[in-house]
Amino acid sequence: MRARYMTREGKWQRRQFPFWLCIFQIIFILCFSLCAHFNEHALPDNKSKVYVNTDYPLFQDIHVMSLVGFGFLMAFLKRYGFAAVSMNLLLCAFVSQWAMLIRGFLSQEFRDSYSFTISIEESNRVKHCRIMIADLSCTPILISMGALIGRFTPMQFLFMAFIETLVCTGVEYVVITMMHVNDGGRSLVIHAFGAYFGLAVAKTARKVRVLSKRGTIRVVGEDAFDDNNSETDGVDHSELFSMIGTLFLWIFFPSFNAAVQEPEDARIRAVINTYLSMTSCTVITFMLTSLTDRQGRFNMIHIQSSTLAGGVAIGSVANAILQPWHSLLIGGIAAIISVFGHTHIQPYLRKSWLSVTDTCGVHNLHGLPGILSGLCSIVIVVVYNPSYYGDSLYQIYPYFVGGDKNGNRGPWDQAAYQFYAIVIVFFGAVISGAITAQSGFGAS
């Protein structure tokens, strides 16, 4: 009788993943059928050509970053490369639908009419429901996945994505919409949140489950992810695939930081500042990785990861920086922090009392540079005179004195809110990640 019971339990364990996927997709279809509709530019007999020609290229760039860039970046583990790329695709498809629903339910349009618009283009009326924004919402989940890849089952990743998307969107709504914080490139609410949520889950989850490229699952201990363990090593072709992911992310990062910027001059600044920051970051990373090796060789982990830190670090201020050398300086600092994280902080986190295993080093690429970006936003709002921005000021800092929102903030007041945002994002990510792991899904 016991054997028969275990057999049934084993069958359920094998079949619960497609079962829950089916349930979620049915719910999504029902919600879209009841609440969502296309905007007028997607309906027949409309003559507009502006929106697809301007916003769809940015949407494509973000799409490539999410599917190709992040997917291949996590393919360096020789046993888990296929799992990383395939789960990356699944989570993008799942989260984009769930994020569109959440943002639609939070929009003013839904509060007024109990329905919301699905759109590509930029519009104050439908900005919460744009598919480009939903694509951005995939990024924190993919970042958290990077801290856990090789240790969680597809079922665990699915429920983590469901919960994290809900919490992350809520935190973003508080920080951006209610507090009027400038985080144009979403370095805080996407990169920092995703990194620390994933690390909190990694710390709190009690069992380590390994999904191999053959789809088999094994429960192992944390020592399986030591530096000297061959399971987490890369081979030449897996390192090459990971480098390809780095190149895709490097190329399209300016589009990522510019996607939601307003007005047009802020979007142009975001592209230029991101590019400058990443060039500086790349040069400093190559310098540091050679200096940290006794024989002067390049460390591929640094090249694959730290060269991208400049794009993360500039995100919160990409729309606000008016001097090119400021972008170069931020990129250089990001490289120093990221390489130092790889060489010193990550080994300490794993071997100290914290005992946090970060599979892909998301703390060094997204966590630390994301916090740096938040700190830079505090400095920039104080250093720059508000008069420098002209009419763009109230779209970058909506609650400044004299704007349409009748705000009462000056530079120091805004700096305080920028600091509060860092605190909210960090503790929100850590606490929600720990609760998520303790809720039972981590041991399922």
Side-chain angles (χ1 to χ4, degrees), residues 46-164:
N46 186 273
K47 306 300 182 182
S48 175
K49 298 181 180 179
V50 176
Y51 299 101
V52 170
N53 292 338
T54 55
D55 286 292
Y56 185 69
L58 285 175
F59 169 69
Q60 274 186 313
D61 292 350
I62 297 169
H63 223 46
V64 171
M65 282 188 66
S66 300
L67 294 173
V68 181
F70 282 104
F72 281 104
L73 184 65
M74 292 184 284
F76 70 95
L77 299 174
K78 65 182 180 182
R79 289 186 61 91
Y80 317 119
F82 293 146
V85 176
S86 59
M87 284 304 302
N88 186 86
L89 173 60
L90 171 63
L91 294 181
C92 281
F94 177 84
V95 171
S96 60
Q97 296 178 80
W98 180 217
M100 274 189 278
L101 288 174
I102 297 173
R103 293 176 182 278
F105 294 149
L106 289 174
S107 66
Q108 184 63 46
E109 184 183 12
F110 182 80
R111 291 194 288 269
D112 294 338
S113 62
Y114 298 103
S115 66
F116 57 87
T117 303
I118 302 295
S119 175
I120 295 176
E121 74 271 13
E122 187 73 59
S123 168
N124 289 331
R125 179 171 169 267
V126 299
K127 65 180 179 179
H128 291 292
C129 315
R130 293 166 57 208
I131 59 175
M132 183 156 52
I133 303 293
D135 230 23
L136 289 174
S137 300
C138 299
T139 306
I141 283 73
L142 301 180
I143 292 170
S144 299
M145 173 185 163
L148 303 163
I149 188 67
R151 293 182 286 158
F152 272 27
T153 67
M155 190 71 247
Q156 292 169 319
F157 277 127
L158 186 67
F159 275 99
M160 184 196 76
F162 180 81
I163 297 171
E164 184 178 0

Side-chain angles (χ1 to χ4, degrees), residues 48 131 150 157 163 235 237 252 282 289 304 337 368 372 378 383:
S48 175
I131 59 175
F157 277 127
I163 297 171
V235 293
H237 69 270
F252 293 115
T282 300
T289 189
Q304 293 161 0
I337 291 175
L368 293 174
L372 171 64
I378 297 174
V383 169

